[in-house]
């Protein structure tokens, strides 16, 4: 079977798929497993767009709009999109903080964990169980949200430092002006 060939490399996806309701249904209907969604020789690179209702979407080939599976598909896609967006926001915030000279290396390192959770959620899709995918998404969201907060907090700290530096420079300038005036007074 084709899915056995795919399973040689895609072990986790195959394990998830084997436990899914789709596996049983596909077997009953004589459908060739992985090929149904990923095609055979013209294998499409997996993406979140495969869960969409657009031209790249595969779920709507078999499911009707609004049915239970369509709602599950929409929920999974929304959660993946939200996690991906939060990771990107955190990356942007951390990059800005880092380029401003702020220390965010710990948050930078934990971004890998958020990306791992996103990857795991994308693999767990093959179980076709919303709750399992949501577990992985929530782990990633917690990490990405904390990293986003770290980036924003670093920028707030940077702004406080800049204000403090500005006030110090003003105080130094006033003191230098006062010294200059005092020296002029002594000379005259």
């Amino acid at each position: 079977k084709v899915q056995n060939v795919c399973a040689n490399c895609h072990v986790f996806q195959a394990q998830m798929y084997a436990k899914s309701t789709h596996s049983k249904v596909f077997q009953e209907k004589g459908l060739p497993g992985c090929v149904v969604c990923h095609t055979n020789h013209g294998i499409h690179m997996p993406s979140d767009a495969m869960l969409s209702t657009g031209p790249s979407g595969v779920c709507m080939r078999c499911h009707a709009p609004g049915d239970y599976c369509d709602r599950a598909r929409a929920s999974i896609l929304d959660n993946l999109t939200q996690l991906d967006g939060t990771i990107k926001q955190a990356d942007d915030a951390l990059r800005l903080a880092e380029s401003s000279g702020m220390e965010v290396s710990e948050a930078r390192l934990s971004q890998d964990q958020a990306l791992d959770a996103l990857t795991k959620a994308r693999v767990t899709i093959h179980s076709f169980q919303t709750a399992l995918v949501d577990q992985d998404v929530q782990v990633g969201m917690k990490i990405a949200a904390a990293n986003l907060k770290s980036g924003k907090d670093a920028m707030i700290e940077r702004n406080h430092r800049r204000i403090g530096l500005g006030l110090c420079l003003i105080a130094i300038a006033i003191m230098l002006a006062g010294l200059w005036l005092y020296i002029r007074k002594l000379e005259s």
Side-chain angles (χ1 to χ4, degrees):
K1 291 184 178 180
V2 173
Q3 64 216 36
N4 292 340
V5 174
C6 299
N8 284 326
C9 296
H10 304 284
V11 177
F12 297 118
Q13 289 88 335
Q15 289 173 350
M16 293 288 176
Y17 171 75
K19 297 175 186 176
S20 75
T21 56
H22 284 80
S23 175
K24 295 170 194 149
V25 172
F26 287 3
Q27 283 177 356
E28 289 170 5
K29 295 187 182 240
L31 296 172
C34 306
V35 174
V36 174
C37 298
H38 296 282
T39 72
N40 196 358
H41 297 289
I43 298 168
H44 296 115
M45 187 68 176
S47 71
D48 294 348
M50 292 177 76
L51 292 170
S52 74
T53 56
S56 300
V58 295
C59 301
M60 301 316 287
R61 294 179 195 161
C62 301
H63 295 286
D67 71 6
Y68 174 79
C69 292
D70 181 41
R71 291 190 306 274
R73 172 209 59 79
S75 173
I76 290 171
L77 180 59
D78 288 345
N79 287 338
L80 290 174
T81 302
Q82 183 181 6
L83 175 55
D84 189 46
T86 303
I87 289 171
K88 287 176 181 170
Q89 286 178 332
D91 276 339
D92 291 343
L94 292 171
R95 193 176 303 111
L96 179 61
E98 196 172 49
S99 69
S100 296
M102 301 305 294
E103 172 56 39
V104 290
S105 59
E106 230 178 277
R108 269 266 183 237
L109 286 174
S110 68
Q111 273 297 90
D112 289 340
Q113 293 173 348
L115 286 168
D116 288 346
L118 179 60
T119 301
K120 187 176 178 195
R122 287 175 172 155
V123 169
T124 307
I125 288 170
H126 293 86
S127 72
F128 301 100
Q129 295 180 28
T130 308
L132 292 178
V133 178
D134 287 348
Q135 286 175 356
D136 296 333
V137 167
Q138 291 311 311
V139 168
M141 283 299 292
K142 184 177 178 183
I143 295 167
N147 293 339
L148 178 59
K149 184 180 181 322
S150 292
K152 288 180 177 180
D153 288 349
M155 292 308 293
I156 290 170
E157 176 66 24
R158 179 204 68 171
N159 292 341
H160 287 151
R161 288 180 184 184
R162 285 184 175 182
I163 290 169
L165 178 62
L167 292 174
C168 287
L169 289 175
I170 290 170
I172 290 170
I174 290 170
M175 191 169 97
L176 287 174
L179 283 172
W180 182 74
L181 288 173
Y182 181 71
I183 292 170
R184 298 254 319 163
K185 183 180 176 186
L186 288 175
E187 288 177 350
S188 55

